[in-house]
Amino acid sequence: KWSLRIKLKKGHFFRGMRYFSLQAPKTREFHHELIVQKHLQQHQILTPKYFFSTASINGQSMGIMAVEEWPETTLLERQGFREGTIFRFDESAMWAHMQNNVNAGPFNDVREAGIKSYQKVHRKPKHPLHREWQEAFSMMEGFIAGKLSLEQVFDLPKIFLFFAIADIWGAGHTIEDHNRRFYLNPITRKFEPLSYELDPKYPSIFFDEKSSQQIYRGLDGRSLLENPSLLEKYRTVLKEIKTEIEDAEFIRKAKDLD
């Protein structure tokens, strides 16, 4: 099955979305993506809309496809967040390099990649959020350069929760730098995680909360691993999430989704 990125004409929406992706359900491990998304939502972590639908192209059936929302302002509004800028690291050089090479080489290093925002309108000097857009760029560039700390740039309680849930569910794919999506909360002036391409593999029922299986994949995760006091706080959150998924009520709800 093809993977497609859909952009509808201005004024047209499909289930409240103007931009979304279509892909084979197995691309995101079928319903496992949805189960982990629901877990993240319980902790007020931003997630894109994700569901299954039949699809066809010019009358030719594609069967059942997974529909995934593209990060934009409507995603924030629907989940009760104020409008703010959503950022990602520029992947273009990495993918261009990989067309002729086995791996991404130096282009998988965010220190060599630029930063991009999804809402292009925020780049316009007269837009009300332009100043916040500039601030967000300066903050992220400062963190990448080592001039600003994790505490200065990120909402650590939410980063800890995001990491812990991804860690335990084997969703390290979403922690990799080129898959990261961040929302600058205009109230706290801190970056929050926005889950994207979770691709979970399994829940680690034998997980050791004193270790981490996934967070080394992200620049902020590697920075966390180098900070003993913050790492100890993260391990406390990790233990709490591990206890949470072992709870009978949580298991029942997961089975209902299954």
Side-chain angles (χ1 to χ4, degrees), residues 93-94 97-98 101 103-113:
M94 183 189 76
H97 180 76
M98 289 185 68
N101 297 273
N103 56 53
F107 299 100
N108 197 30
D109 188 337
V110 295
R111 291 169 294 185
E112 303 298 328

Side-chain angles (χ1 to χ4, degrees), residues 85 87 89 114-117 129-149 152-154 184 189-191:
T85 306
F87 289 87
F89 296 116
I115 306 167
K116 283 191 171 184
S117 61
L129 290 177
H130 180 71
R131 182 174 293 180
E132 291 176 9
W133 176 82
Q134 289 180 309
E135 179 184 353
F137 262 79
S138 296
M139 287 170 60
M140 188 61 78
E141 287 175 345
F143 175 70
I144 292 171
K147 297 177 181 179
L148 295 176
S149 67
Q152 292 174 298
V153 175
F154 297 99
L184 181 69
R189 286 294 203 275
K190 296 287 181 71
F191 281 111

